[in-house]
Amino acid sequence: MAIELATEYGKVYITEEVIAVLAGSAALDCYGLVGMASRNQFKDGIAELLRRDNLSRGVEVRKDAQGALTIDLYIVVSYGTKISVVAHNVQTKVKYVLSEVVGLAVESVNIYVQGVRVAQ
């Protein structure tokens, strides 16, 4: 299902996959974030770290009846960083990119920390 934006020149349709890729890309710019994790629950107790070409798999986009978006991000953070600060930075960056750059009404950005990775 696509999100519809009405402009003075016509309508623009943006698919949820494009929104997911934009949100994942914006999140990866934040300090302390190692990568996106799979939305699937843990398999054998290990979170699957996704490569850059699989950003949309770590993001879930939902649209309510009023048209506002809810974004769920499944992330892996770096060891030694404060998780609450990293999560807040990711929320702020994703909401800014989708609201200001794309023009979408974002209701909330939910963060699910799926794991912690030690830097090598």
Side-chain angles (χ1 to χ4, degrees), residues 4-85:
E4 179 181 316
L5 295 174
T7 66
E8 61 184 273
Y9 302 111
K11 295 180 181 177
V12 177
Y13 296 95
I14 304 172
T15 65
E16 290 180 0
E17 172 127 6
V18 171
I19 295 168
V21 170
L22 288 171
S25 180
L28 282 180
D29 288 342
C30 295
Y31 175 78
L33 188 71
V34 175
M36 305 300 289
S38 175
R39 287 182 296 198
N40 299 332
Q41 293 299 321
F42 289 90
K43 294 181 181 177
D44 300 328
I46 300 172
E48 176 188 357
L49 189 63
L50 301 174
R51 294 189 312 265
R52 198 154 184 70
D53 57 341
N54 290 329
L55 290 177
S56 63
R57 283 182 41 202
V59 181
E60 185 175 328
V61 179
R62 294 190 314 267
K63 181 179 174 184
D64 64 8
Q66 290 78 28
L69 295 176
T70 299
I71 310 292
D72 295 333
L73 292 163
Y74 298 84
I75 64 172
V76 177
V77 297
S78 176
Y79 178 79
T81 58
K82 193 168 182 179
I83 293 174
S84 61
V85 173

Side-chain angles (χ1 to χ4, degrees), residues 3-5 14 69 96-106:
I3 308 296
E4 179 181 316
L5 295 174
I14 304 172
L69 295 176
Y96 172 79
V97 167
L98 293 179
S99 298
E100 299 298 322
V101 175
V102 182
L104 297 173
V106 178

